[in-house]
Amino acid sequence: MTMIQCISPIDGSVYAERPAMSLDAATDAVGRARKAQKAWARRPLEERVQLVLKGVARLNEMSDEVVPELAHMMGRPVRYGGEYKGFNERSNYVAAIAADALAPLVVEDSATFSRRIEREPHGVVFVIAPWNYPYMTAINTIAPALMAGNTVVIKHATQTLLVGERMVRAFVEAGVPDDVFINLFLDHATTSALIAAGNFNFINFTGSVEGGRSIERAAAGTFAGLGLELGGKDPGYVMEDADLDAAVDTLMDGATYNSGQCCCGIERIYVHESLYDAFVEKSVAWVSNYKLGNPLDQETTLGPMANKRFAKVVREQIADAVSKGAKALVDPKLFPADDGGAYIMPQVLVNVDHSMAFMKDETFGPAVGIMKVKSDDEALALMNDSPYGLTASLWTQDPERASRIGREIETGTVFMNRADYLDPALCWTGVKETGKGGSLSVLGFQNLTRPKSYHLKKVTK
């Protein structure tokens, strides 16, 4: 029997393990979810919504277990209290809009005809969730999918092995019926085989570009819908009229929070030449205030990366950039806890350019490069010089300027004077190798349902 193991970044020990399910056992489990779906969809919408909210509330009651579990599994310091703020905000918002988002589009309701478009659940939705924000990324799909009348199967990342199990337990304890929301422990081969066999009607995957390609290949010919959020290299652009201190505070937090392991984290920054020196100086000071250490310690503000192999990529990118002329400005002496493994200090690089992998490839760690620019056109060209497109953060006092530049950026979301935030009222989406589809907002509900047209003629003469 193959065991799936979560290796804790705290000390490299096996924190949790579960046996990988066989293909037959997994197929049977998905079959139960499919059988349960029709009865679940027949329940009144408001009843489904309230059961999901009760599941969310039950998970909130588990915070004493959830928060240290996250520290053990992926390294986030306990002082930050888990992911409840965003988890609850997203759940409550989709609950509030569910009735309107799923309401029929009535074309005609006369004595002669009733013509309308209704939203019908896909059936069984498969959520393949990532480790970096294991609760928030999962709830983006789980909550609206269940509310819309789908059943949901979750397979969580190995690094956050226990999250799917805990979410399902919370929802079932809150009253969500058995088999409506289920967790599976799967290896990659079984996951691909399940998808290829046409077991799912919609698949949501958050992870690497190569992982997304594997999902697409497995789903080919099944005609299952796909939502893919893949890689990112999100830019910030600080214009000459920016609020400098606010820009430093927000962009440095966006670059380093969660050890830089954020889907929409800031990975490269372009600063107008008039503010460049001051921005760099303030950014280095800001980052240097972190306390790197054991995430179970309340004093720790920066924990280890989720796995030492992730930290290895960051170090290799930094070393490559420095070998090509980049300069690392944060003093290593300030971070004695950096052990060359999962514990990695934050870093700010200057003298960087786009010939370096550090400015082109996804880093996904607590390191950021800063470049000086002379104009909007130069910044725009650099922001678009990327295979990815999730978010872009623009810093200016002029919303019209931000909108004008934003229209030219190849990205899913344009921020002005903020970064690294997911607004549940807006569609979370990406372009290029960041993926396709969209979650949350009214459009998220539309992606998790299909249109069904009713053309009812009331007279025959």
Side-chain angles (χ1 to χ4, degrees):
M1 179 181 294
T2 302
M3 299 297 290
I4 301 174
Q5 294 184 328
C6 167
I7 306 300
S8 175
I10 292 178
D11 56 10
S13 65
V14 177
Y15 177 69
E17 61 181 2
R18 295 289 187 272
M21 296 180 72
S22 68
L23 179 58
D24 286 345
T27 301
D28 287 346
V30 177
R32 293 193 298 273
R34 184 166 299 283
K35 187 175 180 180
Q37 189 269 324
K38 293 294 185 183
W40 174 246
R42 282 194 293 268
R43 291 193 178 211
L45 171 60
E46 185 58 27
E47 185 178 317
R48 298 194 303 265
V49 169
Q50 290 306 315
L51 281 169
V52 170
L53 290 179
K54 287 179 181 178
V56 169
R58 179 70 188 101
L59 190 71
N60 275 256
E61 294 170 355
M62 299 176 176
S63 63
D64 288 347
E65 300 162 273
V66 166
V67 173
E69 266 180 6
L70 283 174
H72 280 288
M73 290 189 293
M74 52 76 65
R76 185 181 303 121
V78 293
R79 68 177 288 133
Y80 297 123
E83 301 172 16
Y84 285 109
K85 181 179 179 182
F87 184 85
N88 295 336
E89 179 185 33
R90 298 171 193 189
S91 302
N92 291 334
Y93 183 79
V94 295
I97 68 167
D100 287 341
L102 297 170
L105 175 60
V106 178
V107 177
E108 180 182 357
D109 189 13
S110 68
T112 307
F113 285 101
S114 177
R115 294 186 294 143
R116 64 186 183 273
I117 303 168
E118 295 187 1
R119 305 302 308 187
E120 188 161 286
H122 287 304
V124 181
V125 172
F126 189 28
V127 176
I128 307 174
W131 51 263
N132 63 321
Y133 281 93
Y135 286 99
M136 287 201 294
T137 52
I139 204 65
N140 292 350
T141 302
I142 290 167
L146 289 173
M147 291 175 187
N150 300 283
T151 50
V152 174
V153 177
I154 183 171
K155 174 232 175 290
H156 226 294
T158 301
Q159 195 65 51
T160 40
L161 187 63
L162 303 181
V163 171
E165 184 177 74
R166 185 168 288 283
M167 290 184 76
V168 168
R169 180 185 133 199
F171 277 55
V172 170
E173 289 179 0
V176 172
D178 290 341
D179 299 326
V180 166
F181 181 26
I182 65 173
N183 173 69
L184 303 182
F185 296 107
L186 304 172
D187 59 25
H188 292 316
T190 304
T191 300
S192 295
L194 275 178
I195 293 171
N199 282 289
F200 306 108
N201 303 101
F202 188 89
I203 301 157
N204 179 267
F205 171 78
T206 305
S208 68
V209 174
E210 282 309 308
R213 291 191 174 113
S214 296
I215 299 297
E216 279 201 320
R217 284 192 293 267
T222 68
F223 309 118
L226 294 177
L228 304 173
E229 187 200 320
L230 311 175
K233 192 72 179 175
D234 290 6
Y237 172 33
V238 181
M239 302 174 216
E240 71 280 355
D241 65 339
D243 181 327
L244 180 62
D245 288 336
V248 169
D249 186 57
T250 302
L251 291 173
M252 287 302 107
D253 182 69
T256 55
Y257 182 76
N258 203 40
S259 297
Q261 299 165 132
C262 303
C263 298
C264 57
I266 296 296
E267 297 215 355
R268 52 200 174 105
I269 302 173
Y270 309 101
V271 183
H272 189 270
E273 58 186 0
S274 63
L275 294 181
Y276 177 81
D277 290 340
F279 183 90
V280 169
E281 181 181 358
K282 287 175 178 285
S283 294
V284 172
W286 195 100
V287 166
S288 297
N289 284 323
Y290 270 119
K291 180 178 179 183
L292 176 66
N294 190 317
L296 297 172
D297 183 347
Q298 283 286 345
E299 299 302 311
T300 294
T301 55
L302 191 72
M305 292 190 68
N307 192 292
K308 63 183 180 181
R309 73 177 186 275
F310 306 149
K312 182 173 182 285
V313 171
V314 180
R315 291 190 177 93
E316 287 173 349
Q317 284 193 7
I318 291 173
D320 175 71
V322 170
S323 74
K324 294 175 179 175
K327 185 176 181 181
L329 299 181
V330 180
D331 186 354
K333 295 177 183 177
L334 298 173
F335 297 94
D338 188 323
D339 63 353
Y343 290 85
I344 180 171
M345 63 175 282
Q347 191 54 268
V348 174
L349 268 63
V350 294
N351 298 343
V352 290
D353 60 50
H354 281 217
S355 70
M356 302 170 182
F358 183 73
M359 295 298 285
K360 296 280 284 186
D361 298 342
E362 187 169 37
T363 302
F364 220 61
V368 65
I370 305 174
M371 286 181 66
K372 182 189 300 183
V373 295
K374 297 179 182 296
S375 66
D376 291 351
D377 286 345
E378 182 182 3
L380 181 61
L382 289 166
M383 284 189 282
N384 282 340
D385 184 28
S386 171
Y388 307 112
L390 185 57
T391 79
S393 177
L394 305 179
W395 288 80
T396 175
Q397 305 299 322
D398 185 349
E400 290 186 6
R401 183 181 180 187
S403 296
R404 184 175 66 252
I405 295 170
R407 280 188 286 271
E408 301 299 322
I409 303 173
E410 296 158 352
T411 191
T413 295
V414 176
F415 290 117
M416 173 180 153
N417 297 337
R418 81 176 311 174
D420 192 26
Y421 172 69
L422 199 158
D423 182 344
L426 301 177
C427 186
W428 191 243
T429 186
V431 298
K432 299 192 284 190
E433 289 190 8
T434 291
K436 64 180 181 180
S439 61
L440 297 175
S441 77
V442 171
L443 297 182
F445 273 108
Q446 292 180 2
N447 286 332
L448 291 165
T449 55
R450 67 177 183 86
K452 189 172 188 177
S453 295
Y454 289 79
H455 188 120
L456 309 179
K457 187 180 179 185
K458 300 178 181 179
V459 297
T460 56
K461 294 182 181 179

